[in-house]
Amino acid sequence: MPLRRRGPLTLAGAALLLVLGAVLLGGGSWPGALTVDVSAPLDRVGDWIIDNRDGHPLFLYFLGHVSNAVIVSVRAVYLLLLALGWAGVTAAAGLVAWRLAGVRLALVSVAAFAACGLLGMWVPTLQTLALMVVAVLASVLLGTLLGLAAGLSARMDRVLRPVLDTMQVLPAFAYLLPVVLVFGIGVPAAVLATVVYAAPPMARLTALGLRGADAGVMEAAASLGATGRQRLLTARLPLARKELLLGVNQSIMMALGMAVIASVIGAGGLGDRVYQALASVDVGAALAAGVPIVLLAVVLDRVTAAAGARLGSAPAASPAGSARTPALVSAALVAAIAAAGHLSGRLDWPRAWTVDTAGPVNGAVDWMTAHLYSGVPVVGGTADWASHLTTGVLNPLRSGLQWLPWWSVLLAVGALALLIGTWRTAATAVLAMAAIGVLGVWGPALDTLSQVLAAVAVTLLLGFALGAAAARGARLDRMLRPVLDVFQTMPQFVYLIPVVALFGVGRAPAVAAAVVYALPAVVRITAQGLRAVDPGAVESARSLGATGRQQLLQVQLPLARPALLLAVNQGVVLVLAVVVIGGLVGGGALGYDAVFGLAQGDLATGLVAGAAIVCLGLVLDRVTQPTRRRTRTGEGA
């Protein structure tokens, strides 16, 4: 049934059920009779893991070897980086970027590593790089294997799809507690949590590339007598190389973000410096560690993206001079620079070449706190904004959601999912929401939902406006592009630094950080969707005398509806991820439970909160992600 006819019927049915529910079921929060106490069995599982971690064969002969392999690998990479010295590492980064992406990115890479040293973060940068190298290699390997299974087998694709869906909506914090219980605090837990978090995009894109291989090429290879293995190695994988490189790029970015978050379980490196500074609200120290994270993210993103574009282009498009610089010459040059550093005794970044930025930054923060935090005439200070947001929006929204009868929330979720999806997606959303009540965290989940809804509303309002302006103005698009690039590559953890300085602690800074984190994706998708609208339709409206505003509202926005819905979906998922991390800065709700469970080693509290976060993520994903319906002829309705 078409959406324009199905929508009113769905809403009418929901209204009827609402009235019947009010009569038959009454009001109130989730009934205690429908909850299941899972804390006792989870506590027993946690106690068993702790008691047997040093003596059970599973830990001694399997998980112990995995832990040792991770420690040895990370230490070997770290010692190699130390042996190369600051000059060797910087030269290697520049040469790799030159060969893969050209001279401009090579200069950017050299400048980025030099900035890490100037900020006094050279050793933490090497620690983060060592962890990143091991985690990314393992993520790419695991993701490729899963992607091969899903891309070559429809049955495996159906099995893996819900698993990857769950992993995609599970916030990064929820991965930490299980690995800490099994491996303890330290590098192995951090690396393995990063691997699990960063593998899904590689798996999805690998499967997408394999399934999208040109049917004509595959048929030609089969007609020449190639075996299945030969077709995979000589046809499918080469045809999917752009998707594979994109998967590597996405895995690298997600691994960097997770490596920073994993600092709370002993990952060390730049993330640990950020976490310690955040705990003491030392914005200067946090920024000194946060800038190298952003620089690493930008360099890794640009180099891997350029490598993927180069693989998909003609040989003539390769960077000038790269062909004259073979790999052996590059390796010899790096070795020579490293040897020179050994002979001169200057492997570490010279202390005289560091710049103290913490003092000036903290001075600026003190000035902003004194002049912007409160007492600003007319507009008020940031503390006033945070207070107004909390008392005027977040508190009433939370109270309203928690006041609603539990069955009406389930009904609203099902109606929204059915409006843009199918009965299957609606049932999934309702069951996921009901699972939150069964787990006994109905109130905290609605608190988290209130923060997500407030952040999503602000994100969409700003994102749609900026996206529309960027799509219609080339100059604004050029101005926004570098800003969005930096914001999009910045790990989630870093967003908490400035908002805590400006807004203090509480739910308001968590919402503000979520808005800033999700805004770039919404702006980009909106602008791209509006630019992709058929120019003929816009020209026809213009020829009929439509103003620019009328063209936007009556032609471009309706035709760009799929892109706008995708922007809504991505905004919701990204906002949820940061709202959960906001538990570190007083966001409360499920995020606080996840942080508390991690800090105290409380498996029951942490896993229940993590499971509720997953369910809430599934609900928000299903009510914002359109599902293609089918008619009796099999065509999309």
Side-chain angles (χ1 to χ4, degrees):
M1 181 182 296
L3 181 60
R4 60 179 177 270
R5 288 187 294 169
R6 184 175 188 152
L9 292 178
T10 302
L11 293 178
L16 178 60
L17 291 176
L18 193 64
V19 174
L20 292 176
V23 175
L24 299 177
L25 299 177
S29 183
W30 187 269
L34 297 181
T35 60
V36 176
D37 183 15
V38 297
S39 58
L42 286 177
D43 285 336
R44 288 195 294 270
V45 171
D47 293 340
W48 183 89
I49 292 174
I50 294 173
D51 294 340
N52 293 274
R53 196 159 51 191
D54 296 328
H56 194 275
L58 176 65
F59 294 91
L60 290 177
Y61 301 112
F62 177 64
L63 296 177
H65 291 306
V66 172
S67 177
N68 292 334
V70 170
I71 293 174
V72 170
S73 301
V74 173
R75 183 169 179 80
V77 175
Y78 179 61
L79 292 177
L80 174 62
L81 295 175
L82 287 179
L84 289 176
W86 68 267
V89 172
T90 305
L95 288 171
V96 169
W98 185 20
R99 289 183 56 81
L100 293 178
V103 176
R104 180 180 298 179
L105 277 178
L107 295 176
V108 171
S109 300
V110 171
F113 277 85
C116 296
L118 289 172
L119 292 170
M121 292 291 160
W122 185 254
V123 171
T125 299
L126 296 188
Q127 293 172 342
T128 299
L129 269 180
L131 189 146
M132 278 281 297
V133 168
V134 176
V136 168
L137 289 177
S139 300
V140 169
L141 178 60
L142 176 62
T144 302
L145 293 176
L146 293 176
L148 285 172
L152 299 177
S153 169
R155 179 176 298 176
M156 282 300 299
D157 181 53
R158 289 192 297 270
V159 171
L160 288 175
R161 190 179 303 165
V163 177
L164 296 177
D165 284 345
T166 302
M167 294 171 71
Q168 190 171 7
V169 299
L170 183 64
F173 238 99
Y175 287 91
L176 301 183
L177 182 58
V179 295
V180 166
L181 277 174
V182 175
F183 295 98
I185 297 290
V187 171
V191 170
L192 292 169
T194 304
V195 170
V196 175
Y197 183 67
M202 187 69 200
R204 283 187 178 278
L205 288 165
T206 300
L208 178 65
L210 293 177
R211 288 195 300 269
D214 190 300
V217 175
M218 298 305 301
E219 186 176 349
S223 66
L224 292 174
T227 63
R229 182 183 178 187
Q230 290 172 331
R231 291 197 298 271
L232 174 64
L233 297 177
T234 61
R236 282 189 182 272
L237 288 178
L239 290 173
R241 57 188 177 183
K242 292 188 69 173
E243 286 81 4
L244 293 175
L245 260 295
L246 180 59
V248 172
N249 173 271
Q250 293 299 302
S251 292
I252 288 175
M253 301 311 298
M254 295 188 72
L256 181 59
M258 187 62 177
V260 176
I261 295 173
S263 61
V264 300
I265 59 171
L270 295 170
D272 186 55
R273 299 296 182 93
V274 174
Y275 180 64
Q276 291 179 3
L278 188 63
S280 59
V281 199
D282 187 347
V283 180
L287 190 64
V291 169
I293 294 170
V294 176
L295 293 176
L296 284 179
V298 171
V299 168
L300 293 171
D301 178 60
R302 294 295 180 277
V303 171
T304 52
R310 182 184 174 193
L311 279 178
S313 63
S318 60
S322 62
R324 297 191 298 270
T325 311
L328 290 178
V329 175
S330 301
L333 181 59
V334 172
I337 294 174
H342 274 281
L343 293 176
S344 62
R346 293 186 176 181
L347 290 176
D348 295 332
W349 185 272
R351 185 171 300 178
W353 292 5
T354 59
V355 178
D356 180 22
T357 59
V361 169
N362 285 331
V365 170
D366 292 338
W367 181 91
M368 287 190 294
T369 302
H371 295 82
L372 301 179
Y373 194 72
S374 62
V376 180
V378 182
V379 296
T382 54
D384 300 323
W385 298 353
S387 177
H388 293 329
L389 177 63
T390 302
T391 58
V393 178
L394 295 179
N395 286 347
L397 189 57
R398 178 181 63 182
S399 300
L401 288 174
Q402 293 179 344
W403 171 82
L404 288 173
W406 60 272
W407 50 266
S408 68
V409 175
L410 298 183
L411 182 61
V413 166
L416 288 174
L418 188 58
L419 277 175
I420 65 170
T422 64
W423 286 104
R424 180 177 297 179
T425 57
T428 302
V430 171
L431 289 175
M433 196 69 202
I436 294 174
V438 171
L439 290 172
V441 287
W442 185 259
L446 293 183
D447 188 357
T448 298
L449 180 60
S450 68
Q451 299 177 47
V452 170
L453 292 178
V456 166
V458 177
T459 301
L460 295 181
L461 182 64
L462 295 176
F464 286 164
L466 288 174
R472 298 168 65 86
R475 179 178 299 179
L476 179 62
D477 182 55
R478 288 193 297 269
M479 293 173 57
L480 284 177
R481 191 176 303 165
V483 178
L484 297 179
D485 286 345
V486 172
F487 280 3
Q488 200 162 14
T489 54
M490 195 182 300
Q492 303 165 359
F493 214 60
V494 180
Y495 286 91
L496 299 179
I497 301 169
V499 296
V500 169
L502 288 174
F503 298 101
V505 296
R507 286 177 292 156
V511 171
V515 170
V516 178
Y517 180 67
L519 189 60
V522 175
V523 172
R524 284 185 182 277
I525 296 173
T526 301
Q528 181 63 31
L530 292 175
R531 281 194 292 263
V533 170
D534 186 2
V538 179
E539 184 61 32
S540 298
R542 187 182 298 115
S543 65
L544 293 174
T547 64
R549 183 170 178 236
Q550 289 172 331
Q551 294 170 30
L552 175 64
L553 296 178
Q554 299 177 13
V555 179
Q556 290 179 291
L557 289 178
L559 292 178
R561 181 176 173 272
L564 298 181
L565 289 175
L566 177 61
V568 173
N569 178 261
Q570 291 301 299
V572 166
V573 173
L574 295 175
V575 161
L576 176 63
V578 179
V579 165
V580 171
I581 296 176
L584 287 171
V585 294
L590 293 177
Y592 173 79
D593 289 344
V595 173
F596 177 81
L598 179 65
Q600 302 296 323
D602 188 342
L603 182 65
T605 301
L607 279 189
V608 167
I613 291 167
V614 173
C615 293
L616 189 59
L618 287 174
V619 170
L620 293 171
D621 181 66
R622 292 301 183 267
V623 300
T624 57
Q625 187 178 68
T627 303
R628 187 177 179 86
R629 300 184 181 94
R630 297 183 180 276
T631 63
R632 293 181 181 179
T633 59
E635 298 175 351

